[in-house]
Amino acid sequence: MSAAAPSPTLSHLNFVPVTRPEQVATVAALAHDIWYEYYVPLIGRAQVDYMVDKFQNAPAMQAQIDQGYEYFLVQRQLESGKQSDIGYCAVQEQPGRVMFLSKFYLHHAARGSGTGRRCMEFIEGLARRRGLSLLWLTVNKGNPAVQAYQRLGFRIAADLVMDIGGGFVMDDYRMEKALEVPS
């Protein structure tokens, strides 16, 4: 999708392809806010410091974009007509008609309102339009989002423990959802 193309909209949400450096910087700032608000109680400040510094910053995001990941800034349209940045996601097409949902994060004010479900509808629609039949992600085993993903039709497919350096590991589930692809 080119930068000039209209952004897909789902009920006052816009999914803006991240292609310019200032958009990457916006996503990195959102990542910083979301990670420190949500993940410090879950995995601790030291690991959040490490992961934000290593994976959730503008250079790391730009490197992923350069490697074929697609980032989308999630915006909510306000009554004033302005846009409010409320989250972001990143996906990567993989061999075997598969899409990896690498990142999916919402600002605390956007959680619990159906926004996550609408974001997942966008992601699934993107995969289906491309003829992909499986969507997968990883999520920390202690994250309450595990149950949210299950309500959205994902199943736990594997336990993953990955050394991410710095003396830290990610203790995650791999979750998968089969997608019906239109013929």
Side-chain angles (χ1 to χ4, degrees):
M1 182 178 280
S2 71
S7 299
T9 302
L10 283 175
S11 186
H12 305 295
L13 292 181
N14 293 319
F15 300 88
V16 181
V18 175
T19 59
R20 298 187 317 271
E22 63 272 15
Q23 291 172 313
V24 174
T26 297
V27 172
L30 263 173
H32 184 276
D33 292 348
I34 292 167
W35 272 74
Y36 280 94
E37 175 265 326
Y38 189 83
Y39 286 98
V40 168
L42 193 62
I43 61 175
R45 173 98 189 195
Q47 187 164 348
V48 169
D49 287 344
Y50 178 79
M51 292 182 75
V52 167
D53 184 56
K54 186 129 176 120
F55 306 114
Q56 299 289 333
N57 60 53
M61 291 173 181
Q62 186 60 58
Q64 280 196 322
I65 291 168
D66 294 344
Q67 295 166 5
Y69 284 74
E70 297 173 80
Y71 274 75
F72 295 90
L73 180 60
V74 181
Q75 296 179 327
R76 175 172 283 138
Q77 186 170 336
L78 304 175
E79 288 183 24
S80 66
K82 293 185 179 184
Q83 300 292 324
S84 174
D85 301 328
I86 61 168
Y88 65 102
C89 59
V91 296
Q92 179 195 42
E93 281 190 49
Q94 297 182 331
R97 298 180 37 209
V98 172
M99 180 172 280
F100 172 43
L101 176 53
S102 171
K103 294 174 178 52
F104 180 27
Y105 302 105
L106 293 174
H107 191 272
H108 67 86
R111 293 183 215 130
S113 63
T115 301
R117 179 176 296 279
R118 290 199 301 280
C119 289
M120 192 59 72
E121 289 169 3
F122 166 75
I123 294 161
E124 289 179 18
L126 186 67
R128 283 187 183 99
R129 285 189 300 277
R130 295 176 181 184
L132 306 179
S133 59
L134 183 75
L135 181 60
W136 73 278
L137 56 87
T138 59
V139 60
N140 180 280
K141 291 175 184 169
N143 191 332
V146 170
Q147 289 76 32
Y149 288 127
Q150 288 173 320
R151 285 191 302 273
L152 292 169
F154 284 81
R155 67 173 185 82
I156 296 171
D159 289 341
L160 302 173
V161 178
M162 297 169 283
D163 185 335
I164 59 170
F168 298 106
V169 297
M170 290 191 339
D171 190 13
D172 290 352
Y173 289 127
R174 175 184 167 123
M175 298 188 76
E176 298 179 347
K177 182 175 184 177
L179 301 175
E180 291 182 26
V181 181
S183 46

